Amino acid sequence: MDKQVLLINDLAGYGKVALSAMIPVLSHMGYNLYNLPTALVSNTLDYGKFDILETTGYIRNTIGVWKELGFCFDAVSTGFIVSELQAGVIAEYCREQAGNGTLIFVDPIMGDEGKLYNGVTQQTVGHMRRLTEVADYIVPNYTEAVYLAGMPYKKDGITKEEAGNLIDRLRQIGAKSVIVTSACVEGNDTVIGYDHKTGQRFFLTFTLIPVRFPGTGDIFSSVLMGKVLAGEGLRESTQKAMDIVKEMILRNRDNVDKFKGIPVEVCLELIDI
């Protein structure tokens, strides 16, 4: 599988999240991987104390060098973006790449449980909309989806009709296919999907495991992207990503230090199920 995949995300020195989680997963799936770190992070943020080095200048310079060298990719995946300025640089690069036929996967990491993360502003939301405009696939959680769509967050959940309206709004912005995770639809924990290739919506329910690991969203996005790039349908790819993340959580649920994330390298055989 000779596909070139660029991952634009942060790199944690301590903990299996973002690039540290995605690279092992997609390498195992057979892709040629390249990376553009949006920040160097001392450790996962769950520890409560951390240091972040933003890399916007490096990103801008690297993109310039890559253009001169003629580097191109079959797919680009974006994740954590540190600042409004960085979001603008990355959005412009993805727009250029999309114009060359590159598939764009966007995980618009901005918030959860109805709130934006510290440091994420409405201007950042606007830049994430610019990424959404050129995205072939977006994978927001429910909170991020409503912020992108400019719709209200409903703590008690939504109906299937409201879920459909949310998908429609994200597609109006420009996203082709949409996966919304961590939603509650008519009382059930649900992943909501829309596949632009088939024109079909789907609702995949799951049972929430009461254990939290950072980085599970990155693993989910990686498996989903890997399966889609391998030619599998979006619904099937989404279900497989859900199943694999579930098995990884169950295998590691008794780990003492969950803030490290899941030790992906010792779980890779689960991807082959």
Side-chain angles (χ1 to χ4, degrees):
M1 191 182 297
D2 193 27
K3 288 188 176 173
Q4 318 294 309
V5 178
L6 172 63
L7 305 176
I8 304 178
N9 211 333
D10 65 286
L11 179 63
Y14 191 93
K16 291 294 177 183
V17 298
L19 291 176
S20 297
M22 298 180 79
I23 289 172
V25 168
L26 285 160
S27 293
H28 181 80
M29 296 177 83
Y31 295 98
N32 297 312
L33 294 183
Y34 309 88
N35 65 82
L36 195 54
T38 56
L40 302 180
V41 186
S42 59
N43 46 267
T44 59
L45 308 188
D46 301 72
Y47 288 101
K49 190 172 187 178
F50 53 87
D51 189 55
I52 294 181
L53 175 64
E54 184 177 340
T55 58
T56 302
Y58 166 78
I59 288 174
R60 185 187 278 119
N61 294 340
T62 296
I63 287 172
V65 171
W66 286 358
K67 285 180 182 177
E68 289 181 31
L69 293 171
F71 293 165
C72 57
F73 307 96
D74 296 293
V76 174
S77 166
T78 72
F80 180 63
I81 294 175
V82 182
S83 66
E84 295 165 29
L85 176 60
Q86 191 178 87
V89 171
I90 292 170
E92 183 58 32
Y93 179 67
C94 286
R95 185 178 297 279
E96 292 172 4
Q97 291 295 300
N100 296 328
T102 300
L103 288 176
I104 307 296
F105 292 77
V106 173
D107 183 356
I109 299 168
M110 296 187 292
D112 202 359
E113 297 179 346
K115 295 178 239 175
L116 295 174
Y117 295 133
N118 286 338
V120 177
T121 65
Q122 286 296 334
Q123 285 83 356
T124 303
V125 175
H127 283 302
M128 286 296 190
R129 285 198 188 104
R130 287 178 58 195
L131 275 170
T132 300
E133 287 173 11
V134 299
D136 294 279
Y137 299 87
I138 63 168
V139 192
N141 62 32
Y142 171 60
T143 296
E144 292 155 350
V146 296
Y147 269 97
L148 286 172
M151 297 173 72
Y153 176 85
K154 297 196 172 181
K155 186 171 73 169
D156 296 326
I158 55 177
T159 64
K160 284 192 174 181
E161 182 180 359
E162 289 169 327
N165 292 338
L166 178 59
I167 293 285
D168 290 343
R169 175 62 189 136
L170 294 170
R171 293 185 59 235
Q172 285 165 11
I173 293 171
K176 292 178 182 173
S177 287
V178 178
I179 297 293
V180 179
T181 64
S182 306
C184 179
V185 180
E186 299 183 354
N188 296 309
D189 289 312
T190 303
V191 174
I192 309 162
Y194 173 81
D195 185 347
H196 76 277
K197 290 185 176 178
T198 64
Q200 298 296 312
R201 291 180 192 157
F202 54 87
F203 299 87
L204 302 175
T205 60
F206 63 93
T207 301
L208 195 64
I209 303 169
V211 178
R212 186 190 178 280
F213 285 98
T216 51
D218 300 306
I219 298 169
F220 176 88
S221 296
S222 301
V223 174
L224 174 66
M225 178 169 64
K227 296 292 185 184
V228 167
L229 290 175
E232 297 194 28
L234 185 59
R235 181 187 181 118
E236 293 73 26
S237 299
T238 304
Q239 186 64 63
K240 284 183 180 177
M242 292 167 67
D243 293 344
I244 289 164
V245 170
K246 174 185 174 184
E247 289 303 316
M248 286 191 182
I249 291 172
L250 289 174
R251 178 180 289 190
N252 292 279
R253 66 189 306 171
D254 295 327
N255 292 7
V256 175
D257 186 358
K258 296 181 177 61
F259 292 168
K260 283 184 182 179
I262 290 174
V264 182
E265 288 86 349
V266 296
C267 302
L268 291 175
E269 83 281 357
L270 293 172
I271 296 170
D272 304 326
I273 294 173

